[in-house]
Amino acid sequence: MVTALAGLVALGGVGTAQAAEPGPQHAVTCKWDNSVNAPWSVDAEEVRGFVRVLCSDSLDDANTRAQVQVLDGAQWFSRGEGVTSYSTAKTIHVNDSTTKQAGTCLYRTVGTHYGQHGNIWALPTFYSNTRYLAG
């Protein structure tokens, strides 16, 4: 009996189960696409803006947000609700739109991005170029 058991162990038929240890994740890098244009007029009442994140590979988890802002006096204010995408693609594009403020105002789009691929990181806040639009 001992000989038969020793033979099964040698053949791998009996033994302790080993949990599969995940290997290290390959390095993924992401950056803001700085060629993104300033917000633009859709019509007399609406303004749109977007942000884009470029990654070297798909992510496990991501949270990317775009928000159109307007300058009022010396302070920037968010307009509308903003849009959050949970896309994990190599290119993440997020659009936001809102109603224009009355008069001619300066607009920009602000973006935030958190990603995960083995480790968690956050990109610095992104600010698009600005543009004056009449509402």
Side-chain angles (χ1 to χ4, degrees), residues 53-65:
V53 174
L54 306 172
C55 297
S56 61
D57 201 353
S58 297
L59 305 173
D60 294 331
D61 291 301
N63 177 316
T64 309
R65 182 167 176 78

Side-chain angles (χ1 to χ4, degrees), residues 41-111:
S41 284
V42 175
D43 54 32
E45 297 176 5
E46 186 179 5
V47 60
R48 286 189 188 162
F50 70 95
V51 298
R52 186 180 302 130
V53 174
L54 306 172
C55 297
S56 61
D57 201 353
S58 297
L59 305 173
D60 294 331
D61 291 301
N63 177 316
T64 309
R65 182 167 176 78
Q67 176 80 58
V68 173
Q69 293 185 325
V70 64
L71 185 65
D72 189 357
Q75 190 170 354
W76 288 97
F77 291 94
S78 295
R79 296 282 296 167
E81 297 297 317
V83 175
T84 300
S85 169
Y86 300 98
S87 171
T88 57
K90 289 171 70 172
T91 300
I92 304 168
H93 184 103
V94 186
N95 293 301
D96 184 33
S97 62
T98 187
T99 55
K100 290 181 183 175
Q101 189 164 307
T104 300
C105 300
L106 190 60
Y107 292 88
R108 72 179 182 187
T109 307
V110 62

Side-chain angles (χ1 to χ4, degrees), residues 21-39:
E21 296 267 339
Q25 296 281 346
H26 63 282
V28 175
T29 58
C30 294
K31 65 180 181 177
W32 291 110
D33 181 350
N34 290 318
S35 68
V36 166
N37 292 324

